Amino acid sequence: MRTYVRARVEGGTYFFTVNLAKRHGTTLLVDRIDALKEAFRRTRQDHPFAMPAFVVLPEHLHCIWRLPPGDGDFPVRWRLIKSRFSRSLPREERRTQSRASKSERGIWQRRYWEQLVRNEAHFQRCMDYIHYNPIKHGHVTHPLDWPYSSFPHWVERGIYPMHWAMPSKAGLLPSERSAGLMKPTQPTT
């Protein structure tokens, strides 16, 4: 059995990738966006954290979390988000024998990926990756066109220019943005 070592830093800032168990041919997360938002809302109410950036795609999501000082327990938050979202859905998914024997739903991949955000430059790369992801996967041609993202919030605050990442705008590449994103922000959902 594998042992997963997670970098748990109290008050840390993390970049996460979380996938559905079925990655192809599903639009579950965007179809049930209200249930996903509610799972996040309830979890943040019980176990607060700031979420300065996020993107929800049809079958996976990325986000940045900033945990409160003295708190490094992101696993309990993901367990609650995943279970609350899963419980909101009818039991129609196919489950493996392994999942059935453990009374698990077959909605999410068991694991998720996290990276401890090390510094300002890393934070900016994570932000750019999140906001460019709908383009990368061919859902839209501009980040403002994707409704399940924190990108409009950052445009409104003046951190990203409105035409960021548009191919017709020379010089506005994802890596060429203003700095200052590690400063405390209001949580967004």
Side-chain angles (χ1 to χ4, degrees):
M1 176 182 233
R2 288 186 178 156
T3 301
Y4 290 90
V5 179
R6 302 214 183 259
R8 291 175 63 171
V9 174
E10 293 181 351
T13 299
Y14 295 89
F15 170 80
F16 294 100
T17 299
V18 184
N19 296 308
L20 291 179
K22 181 180 177 189
R23 286 287 312 259
H24 302 288
T26 185
T27 56
L28 181 63
L29 293 180
V30 294
D31 291 346
R32 300 298 303 262
I33 194 71
D34 290 337
L36 184 61
K37 285 180 180 179
E38 180 62 12
F40 269 88
R41 186 195 67 74
R42 288 183 55 210
T43 300
R44 288 173 70 184
Q45 184 177 10
D46 297 341
H47 301 277
F49 60 94
M51 189 165 58
F54 69 91
V55 66
V56 177
L57 291 120
E59 77 298 336
H60 73 285
L61 63 89
H62 301 286
C63 54
I64 298 173
W65 289 2
R66 189 171 296 118
L67 298 179
D71 188 342
D73 198 359
F74 57 82
V76 74
R77 290 165 169 88
W78 279 118
R79 181 181 53 78
L80 289 169
I81 290 167
K82 289 171 139 184
S83 65
R84 286 171 169 160
F85 179 75
S86 296
R87 283 194 304 265
S88 75
L89 303 175
R91 290 186 172 268
E92 299 171 344
E93 76 278 5
R94 293 184 62 199
R95 295 188 300 166
T96 63
Q97 181 64 30
S98 173
R99 285 183 187 263
S101 70
K102 295 175 182 159
S103 299
E104 292 179 4
R105 298 287 304 266
I107 306 295
W108 299 98
Q109 286 185 4
R110 285 183 175 148
R111 306 287 183 224
Y112 52 88
W113 291 264
E114 95 282 338
Q115 288 182 1
L116 180 64
V117 177
R118 298 177 307 275
N119 54 40
E120 177 74 21
H122 187 202
F123 187 86
Q124 290 175 0
R125 285 191 306 275
C126 292
M127 290 279 288
D128 290 345
Y129 185 86
I130 285 170
H131 295 127
Y132 194 76
N133 218 250
I135 296 168
K136 173 186 171 187
H137 290 284
H139 298 297
V140 294
T141 58
H142 186 264
L144 276 177
D145 296 335
W146 188 250
Y148 314 111
S149 166
S150 57
F151 185 72
H153 167 78
W154 292 104
V155 169
E156 185 178 292
R157 292 191 61 202
I159 301 298
Y160 281 99
M162 184 175 289
H163 298 293
W164 178 82
M166 290 200 64
S168 63
K169 301 291 182 183
L172 296 179
L173 301 174
S175 61
E176 299 173 351
R177 266 202 310 81
S178 58
L181 294 176
M182 285 291 283
K183 294 183 177 110
T185 61
Q186 293 297 316
T188 59
T189 56

